[in-house]
Amino acid sequence: MVGGAMIGPQNTAVRTKLGPLLNGFVNYEYWAPVPKMMSPGVQELLNTYQERAGEAGVDLLGHYMVPLAYAQMQVVAQAVEATGGFDDASLSAYTREKTFPTVMGDVRFGVKGEWSESRVLQVQFQGITGHELGQFQNGSRRIVVSPPESSSGELIFPYAEALTDG
């Protein structure tokens, strides 16, 4: 297997520059535009963000960090509202006990503040042709292979097969 935890392929400029050279590579992501990840409210958030980002000429795909960052702020807002302030001990205790509805689905934390269920995805680039931006807009070229509850396709293995299939 090639890949695993590379910083860079999440970036639009890197994806379009490398194009088909990415086929077969596996990398991490926090969210991908695949059917199993389309929680209530996420498409509306993306539409608003992508319009604003487009006007500003930044973040051409507009979905790598947006759902995760927004969900994190939803958790903070809910905890602050429920506890009535910014006291660290109160916020920590509250977040360990509650489940938070977010644009990424329900979020719950463990006793040490970690996610009770990992939200890190493993994706494999498949079927990329050329360097055109549009092919990265949806989840058809970045296949979620793990975890199973978020998967959108199968891992192509061994890696050499991914090179000849695309």
Side-chain angles (χ1 to χ4, degrees):
M1 179 182 296
V2 176
M6 300 176 293
I7 296 173
Q10 299 89 347
N11 180 288
T12 305
V14 172
R15 287 182 188 170
T16 56
K17 181 79 171 173
L18 293 175
L21 293 174
L22 285 170
N23 284 325
F25 277 77
V26 175
N27 203 23
Y28 76 95
E29 300 261 352
Y30 294 109
W31 187 87
V34 298
K36 291 181 180 178
M37 306 235 26
M38 298 305 287
S39 301
V42 75
Q43 190 61 60
E44 182 180 347
L45 167 66
L46 290 172
N47 292 344
T48 301
Y49 176 79
Q50 288 169 350
E51 180 181 335
R52 291 178 184 174
E55 290 170 1
V58 297
D59 199 4
L60 298 175
L61 290 177
H63 53 63
Y64 169 52
M65 290 298 297
V66 176
L68 176 62
Y70 195 84
Q72 290 170 330
M73 295 315 299
Q74 285 180 303
V75 169
V76 170
Q78 291 172 47
V80 166
E81 186 175 314
T83 62
F86 296 99
D87 176 68
D88 287 343
S90 297
L91 291 170
S92 295
Y94 184 80
T95 56
R96 286 187 188 103
E97 297 172 4
K98 301 298 178 187
T99 299
F100 300 89
T102 76
V103 295
M104 288 188 62
D106 288 344
V107 173
R108 187 161 178 80
F109 297 96
V111 296
K112 296 181 181 177
E114 75 284 6
W115 287 326
S116 62
E117 294 179 23
S118 176
R119 297 206 171 242
V120 178
L121 308 174
Q122 292 297 312
V123 300
Q124 185 178 48
F125 292 95
Q126 298 178 8
I128 299 169
T129 58
H131 302 272
E132 193 266 322
L133 172 70
Q135 66 186 326
F136 298 105
Q137 232 10 76
N138 60 37
S140 67
R141 302 291 190 266
R142 198 170 22 137
I143 308 304
V144 177
V145 296
S146 180
E149 61 272 9
S150 300
S151 69
S152 63
E154 298 294 321
L155 176 71
I156 297 174
F157 185 81
Y159 170 70
E161 290 179 15
L163 293 176
T164 58
D165 288 347

